[in-house]
Amino acid sequence: MGRSIAVIGAGANGASIGADLIAVGHDVTLVEQWPAHVDAMRSRGLRIEMPDRELIVEPRALHVCEVAELRHPFDVVLVVMKAYDTRWASELIAPAVAPDGLVVALQNGMTTDAVAAAVGSDRTVGSVIEVSSTMDEPGVVHRHTAPERSWFAVDAAPRADVVAELLSASGTVARFDDIASAKWMKLVSNATVLVTTAALGLPMADAIRVPGVRDAMLAAGREAFAVGRARGHRALPIFGLTAADIGDEDAVVETMLDVLYERFVVEGATTTVLQDWRKGRRSEAGDLNGLVATEGERLGVPTPVNAAVTALARRIERGEIAPDPSNAALLRA
């Protein structure tokens, strides 16, 4: 019998990872706040459609409201919620974590501290996720990056060995002794790509081809990188890069963007931000470009592009404008 694992946030990425863990024999419970998705998984299973194959599993699926009924503790909990949902989700699941169990902040944004506030730093593991997937139909995930093309980073501390082992079932795993810096490097990538392409209402591969957009993306990423350095974060080689690849810090953002598009972006794939907007949900823009702008102001680092991108996202979420290629002109300050 494998370890007892919970995935809280069984959307496209959480469900994909959970399915991989079930497939290799682990006892996995998926906790999700979309009722129709939970009901679909219970009635007909979970189907993960990948470019060259599909994976069908029959998970134990719980509605969020059923977490209070849990009686058996989990060895590992993967938190795959939106960044802004991290604190309440971690508090919700905390009573169901074994005394020696671990809770993994497996999300975009700088969420590790929010998890630690709920369960304690000794039971928290920082991580980075790079998986591309979408879900429009309950119980069915379209995973664009199969495990061979997915990537994770996990804290190098020995207590996190179990987490690295688990995630290796779903992608390549790298270990970092400074996971906070690795997470900020991922935030740099997210600030570069997610909101900037979503604001155009286009798939990532199409958005970057719109005149002026690549330059705006790079400008947002360079600001985020500068803020990270001011926060004390190191430049680290994520996405399978090497130290030599990021030796020139002036080129780090462009290198990461090119590698992201080469290794992880497929034609037709949209960012999680655009997926949220299409579903009428607010996005993580405030935890990405918004955090860059807020931290830049605090540290005296200019972030006019991230401020403009955040303002644009807020206008879209207020319903004042819609994601559209014409918004390219609004990406720059």
Side-chain angles (χ1 to χ4, degrees):
M1 177 67 69
R3 296 180 178 86
S4 178
I5 301 160
V7 179
I8 182 162
N13 285 347
S16 296
I17 296 165
D20 289 333
L21 294 173
I22 292 169
V24 297
H26 291 292
D27 176 14
V28 179
T29 297
L30 301 182
V31 181
E32 173 54 24
Q33 57 184 332
W34 184 14
H37 183 36
V38 174
D39 293 342
M41 290 190 287
R42 287 175 169 177
S43 63
R44 59 179 185 268
L46 170 64
R47 186 167 81 249
I48 312 297
E49 298 181 349
M50 292 172 273
D52 61 346
R53 64 189 186 276
E54 69 176 21
L55 173 63
I56 300 175
V57 296
E58 296 183 0
R60 181 188 186 199
L62 298 181
H63 295 284
V64 165
C65 62
E66 295 175 307
V67 169
E69 301 170 13
L70 291 168
R71 293 294 180 267
H72 300 289
F74 296 107
D75 300 314
V76 178
V77 173
L78 305 179
V79 180
V80 202
M81 303 288 287
K82 296 297 181 184
Y84 53 73
D85 287 328
T86 303
R87 185 175 292 277
W88 72 259
S90 300
E91 294 283 0
L92 178 71
I93 203 68
V97 182
D100 59 349
L102 297 172
V103 181
V104 186
L106 193 60
Q107 308 143 283
N108 291 329
M110 304 301 287
T111 57
T112 309
D113 288 346
V115 172
V119 303
S121 58
D122 59 324
R123 295 199 294 171
T124 300
V125 174
S127 66
V128 180
I129 178 173
E130 184 53 50
V131 177
S132 176
S133 59
T134 59
M135 182 172 63
D136 299 313
E137 176 186 351
V140 181
V141 174
H142 299 278
R143 182 169 176 176
H144 308 298
T145 55
E148 310 86 68
R149 294 186 61 189
S150 299
W151 185 89
F152 302 93
V154 174
D155 194 323
R159 65 188 177 84
D161 289 351
V162 59
V163 176
E165 176 191 344
L166 290 173
L167 292 178
S168 68
S170 199
T172 299
V173 178
R175 305 294 296 275
F176 289 90
D177 59 6
D178 182 358
I179 197 65
S181 288
K183 284 183 76 68
W184 190 272
M185 291 295 286
K186 176 63 190 305
L187 188 145
V188 170
S189 177
N190 288 339
T192 304
V193 176
L194 297 192
V195 183
T196 51
T197 62
L200 306 188
L202 297 172
M204 289 177 279
D206 296 327
I208 198 171
R209 300 183 185 120
V210 174
V213 170
R214 178 183 169 89
D215 288 343
M217 293 167 70
L218 290 172
R222 288 170 181 144
E223 289 178 2
F225 183 77
V227 170
R229 296 298 270 157
R231 280 170 53 107
H233 295 306
R234 297 153 52 198
L236 294 177
I238 64 171
F239 298 156
L241 291 166
T242 67
D245 292 328
I246 62 167
D248 179 3
E249 291 200 359
D250 291 338
V252 165
V253 174
E254 187 166 12
T255 297
M256 286 203 303
L257 179 61
D258 291 342
V259 168
L260 181 77
Y261 268 74
E262 176 186 341
R263 299 180 185 177
F264 302 105
V265 174
V266 299
E267 291 290 335
T270 58
T271 72
T272 180
V273 171
L274 184 56
Q275 293 168 41
D276 285 336
W277 287 343
R278 286 175 172 172
K279 295 173 183 176
R281 293 168 52 106
R282 67 185 175 98
S283 73
E284 295 175 305
D287 296 276
L288 303 174
N289 303 85
L291 178 61
V292 172
T294 299
E295 283 291 274
E297 182 176 7
R298 181 178 71 85
L299 295 166
V301 179
T303 58
V305 177
N306 280 277
V309 170
T310 304
L312 175 56
R314 288 171 178 158
R315 290 186 64 190
I316 291 172
E317 291 175 2
R318 288 196 298 264
E320 296 175 4
I321 57 176
D324 187 85
S326 64
N327 292 332
L330 304 177
L331 291 174
R332 301 298 293 264

